[in-house]
Amino acid sequence: MSLSEKTAKIIIALKHNLVATFVGLLFSIAIIKLIGAYLSSNIDDGKWEQFKVDHDCQPFINDSGNQRLSWQCDDGKIYYRWRQQR
């Protein structure tokens, strides 16, 4: 069986299972995006730790008494850890 015959069989199989192929493709794209988001958030953690020390950031407690990963810094701004310097 030649390469072109194998390729033709794969294409025919994908056409017959179009819905499964589409779902698999969407699932793969979602996994890649989630991995990218996770890796980019870990890169920012080191910068945030230094930023937090440099700007004397303290945990911010809102009126209801909940802390939602927000920080009050000496510049008067409230920073959210995952969006601190963007």
Side-chain angles (χ1 to χ4, degrees):
M1 191 181 296
S2 70
L3 181 61
S4 62
E5 290 174 350
K6 289 180 182 179
T7 305
K9 284 189 176 187
I10 291 172
I11 291 172
I12 290 171
L14 290 175
K15 284 183 181 179
H16 287 301
N17 297 320
L18 193 56
V19 173
T21 302
F22 185 68
V23 169
L25 183 63
L26 285 177
F27 183 73
S28 299
I29 291 171
I31 294 296
I32 290 169
K33 289 288 190 180
L34 287 172
I35 290 171
Y38 175 75
L39 292 175
S40 69
S41 69
N42 284 342
I43 290 170
D44 287 344
D45 281 348
K47 294 177 185 174
W48 170 245
E49 292 301 324
Q50 185 61 43
F51 181 84
K52 189 169 69 172
V53 170
D54 291 345
H55 293 276
D56 190 35
C57 298
Q58 302 297 321
F60 178 73
I61 308 295
N62 62 11
D63 294 337
S64 64
N66 294 329
Q67 178 186 356
R68 296 275 186 182
L69 292 178
S70 56
W71 299 84
Q72 177 83 40
C73 297
D74 62 1
D75 60 359
K77 295 182 181 177
I78 297 173
Y79 290 90
Y80 297 92
R81 182 176 176 164
W82 59 91
R83 294 172 36 181
Q84 73 277 1
Q85 296 176 355
R86 294 189 181 143

